[in-house]
Amino acid sequence: MLLRHTSKEVKVREGLTINPAKTCQPIGAMYAALGIHGCLPHSHGSQGCCSYHRSTLTRHYKEPVMAATSSFTEGASVFGGQANLLAAIDTIFAVYDPDIIAVHSTCLSETIGDDLQQITKKASDDGKIPEGKYVIYASTPSFVGSHVTGYSNMVAGIATQFAESTGVKKSQYNIIAGWMEPSDMREIKRLAKVMGINIVLFPDTSDVLDAPQTGKHVFYPKGGTTVEELKSSGDSLASLALGSISAEPAAIALEKKCKVPFETLDIPIGLTATDRFIMGISKVAGVTVPDEITADRGRLVDVMCDMEQYLHGKRVALFGDPDQILPLTEFLLDLGMKPVHIVSGTPGQKFEKQMRQLLDERSPETNFKSGLQADMFLLHQWMKNEPVDLLIGNTYGKYMARDEDIPFIRFGFPILDRIGHSYFPNIGYSGSLRLLEKILNAIMDRQDRDALEEKFELVM
Amino acid sequence: MEANRIIPDPAQVREELIQKYPAKVAKKRAKSIVINDPEIIPEVQANVRTVPGIITQRGCSYAGCKGVVLGPTRDIVNIVHGPIGCSFYAWLTRRNQTKPESLMDENYIPYCFSTDMQEENIVFGGEKKLKIAIQEAYDLFHPKSIAIFSTCPVGLIGDDVHAAAREMKEKFGDCNVFGFSCEGYRGVSQSAGHHIANNGVFKHMVGRDNTPSEGKFKLNLLGEYNIGGDAFEIERIFEKVGITLVASFSGNSTVRAIENSHTADLNVILCHRSINYMGDMMETKYGIPWMKVNFVGAESTAKSLRKIGEYFGDEKLKARIEAVIAEEAPKVKAVIEEILPRTKGKTAMLFVGGSRAHHYQDLFAELGMTTVAAGYEFAHRDDYEGREVLPKIKVDADSKNIEELKVVADPELYNPRKTEAELEALKEKGLEINGYEGMMKQMTKKSLVVDDLSHYESEKLIEIYKPDIFCAGIKEKYVVQKMGIPLKQLHSYDYGGPYTGFEGAVNFYKDIDRMVNNPVWKLIKAPWETAGNGKGGELAASYVTQ
Ligand code: SF4
Ligand code: SF4
């Protein structure tokens, strides 16, 4: 037993978090910044945070993850980090020559009270930012929210600091990506194309964190939303924000700054969330849904019909990030499965409300907790009390799955021990079909493994 | 076999490496890039601040303290006091394997504990929450020990983790609670954290259990963290030769073993950088000498075993050691003989850690490969130039902040294991006691030594030297591989290993052979890229078997 000290008895904790189902803001900000073309993320703090964030993203993507740090030492921690950041900006432009430096803060610089707006302004006033280059920032204190909050803050920062309105609208729509994989972002672009609308998708980590092997390391890979596109987002006809925690704040910022109206939708994971996404595009852009997409949808529903017997009533425990597990839970319910335990370390009132509402309507007996102490330790204890047939969550779930001997599907962030998430989408109808295939394989492999010899089936 | 390469002129390489830097940065970096001469070792600037904005391999003091030194001991509940991230990232990512004796034994390594500080804790202080967390950990698990690690904000807001630890320790009575002020901004790298960890372990753990340990030849293994099972292989060999391992610092170790470690008669040090303080302190307080060894590489393993035999000076032990070497060697020889023709003449670069960039050169030498450039991520000058430079190292402001414990001989427990005369005699026999000769004496003339290599410099080095393999860590792994050069991770071993001892050597030979000779490196270019895309031509049947 790997988690041998996890007991069945649930006790309320107030100080100790055990096996967190979240991590800290800056890693989200770093990920978001990588979705801007020619951008070097910069961590304003001591170098440990940057090293950890780069390492985790690298393990998740098996790709280069470039980012710089202000390398605070004790002096900077006492006297403030302005000198370090100014020096860093000089070095970065001289050595790594990005178009944009996207600075995010860390616990340390936030505790000291460094003001990124003021420091980046000083850098600009002092002529440290070369012509045509940018230094943007987002405040990302990790003692608030989670990695999702950090992503959201950086995306909002990108929107406010780049978007311009020229007064002339462009025939295009913004799609603000909630936290999703490069594969998912690629799929969003494909769907938009099939729907026949022009979009500015941001951030966009496709062709950055799934870059091809060419024998050359391209420091700023081909992908990422360009500055030009970002600027033009202020002239778009409307924005669709995918995810109320990770994307909506950017849409709100755009509305405030450039009066771009917006609608917030769920990340299109599963049948109904994808339906809403497609309807959303159709409605906002006044386009008809092409047959190709209807057929895509039909294929997903077809499999749902054909395989319902393997899914119905299966009990699931899941953990992850709000904008992803909300539509995932809905999908599981649509599949006739029973989400029994749900945990997310990320706090959020709106998320709480939405999830409660969904569960109250369709699965009132589900255990659900988010925010402080909503951790994997609690989830595991719940699982010990009310066992499940399937566990869904990031790589850390494998310890629980092994101890409890239950099938496990990797979903969310981080996935440190498998590939696929960056290449094959989980969103849209075809992405959801892939997710469904994974669920079925996990359940049916288990049925095969556990079947008595006389009950072992050839055809299933 | 590769044709003999033309090794580039190192002086010119050095110029190229710093060319692009702003003047001040170039001046600073130049001192950390030196051309080796094993006869007259040049001075390397090391353990100094990384220039802000430089993409560095380095991490922080917390990583060195919690992640490296304390993390591998399985029965301590390690609570990270701070916001959530620091604890999350250090959770199981260092591959410290551990093997509890039974299902009943404690093992907290798969767990991650944090106080998950929130804004109100930063504003009003987090000590109260910390104490609640300690209490909850105690109530849930009743561990023997609870350790507290401070992350960056903690030092700034003035939480006193040591006072909290003392208070809770007293309250519990049966649980040792102690804290570490290992905030990430202390020092200039992980190295500060190693020192802080050494101090804490020495103060709060070593010497708490005076039960005499069994065995005739008793030693502690220092600076071995059981990544990929390295310690298991060393344990296997020790058992075979009849050496008793009292405690390991800290791979596959337990609280009890560390508390009892002062009953051993020798400390052998693997990773000098992370644990040499412990060797010195135990020598002063208990009279246990330390000796630098290296179990990376089959020949180094044999050499290290012989040194241990010599130290104990027992003929039976020495004979046993020779017998074991003779027994293990043929397996190793069979593999290397088969592989050597494919690896001989190839080149390697190693930029990692505080000792591995040195140790692994032995394995590459066994593979017939030349190390053309190497350097550490967080070492000090003594790791490069040898401990004889210690008196010459200036203590700068960043190092001054790290406490030097004042250690004196223990009035009861001090017991010099060897007399002065015996130590002298051992020295005559070539045994270096309490010494380490560093990396550079072993490297060839004109090889390049670079401390705290930056990303930019690594790309340049690869462009210039085109090594057959590059060794570094996860952050560098895919960058280098994108350049078409295999990268061997020497922190995590790419999830392989063990690489120590005899079995480890065999594993390493096979892994390096696989990596440098993998067919995939030749498949990077699409056929149309090499054939002239779109040029047309005649259709000709071609098959896999052709
Ligand atoms: S929680 Fe704060 S201090 Fe820790 S890694 Fe994240 S940003 Fe750094
Ligand atoms: S906050 Fe400090 S202690 Fe934590 S990872 Fe960052 S540098 Fe290290």
Side-chain angles (χ1 to χ4, degrees), chain B residues 395-448:
Chain B
V395 181
D396 63 9
D398 296 311
S399 302
K400 235 180 249 156
N401 294 328
I402 298 149
E403 191 188 7
E404 281 286 348
L405 290 188
K406 300 221 173 6
V407 183
V408 292
D410 190 289
E412 276 145 49
L413 298 171
Y414 181 76
N415 162 28
R417 305 315 203 256
K418 297 271 176 197
T419 62
E420 284 300 323
E422 283 170 324
L423 286 176
E424 242 350 277
L426 286 175
K427 245 175 230 161
E428 305 249 297
K429 284 189 185 155
L431 274 204
E432 210 185 344
I433 302 292
N434 305 358
Y436 172 41
E437 62 166 23
M439 167 206 276
M440 289 162 83
K441 290 195 190 92
Q442 205 187 324
M443 288 180 70
T444 54
K445 198 170 169 153
K446 290 207 168 173
S447 53
L448 207 62

Side-chain angles (χ1 to χ4, degrees), chain A residues 46-49 52, chain B residues 60 62 86 151-152 182-184:
Chain A
S46 13
Q47 61 209 9
C49 310
Y52 277 134
Chain B
C60 65
Y62 157 78
C86 316
T151 69
C152 285
C182 54
E183 288 86 351

Side-chain angles (χ1 to χ4, degrees), chain A residues 306-352:
Chain A
D306 296 347
M307 305 305 275
E308 54 77 33
Q309 72 188 92
Y310 298 101
L311 301 164
H312 188 82
K314 285 286 185 307
R315 300 162 59 82
V316 189
L318 62 141
F319 63 96
D321 303 337
D323 291 342
Q324 297 181 350
I325 61 171
L326 187 65
L328 177 63
T329 303
E330 186 185 34
F331 188 38
L332 296 174
L333 290 166
D334 288 345
L335 293 171
M337 303 179 84
K338 266 189 161 326
V340 188
H341 312 299
I342 304 174
V343 151
S344 175
T346 300
Q349 280 176 0
K350 195 165 169 196
F351 163 61
E352 279 265 335

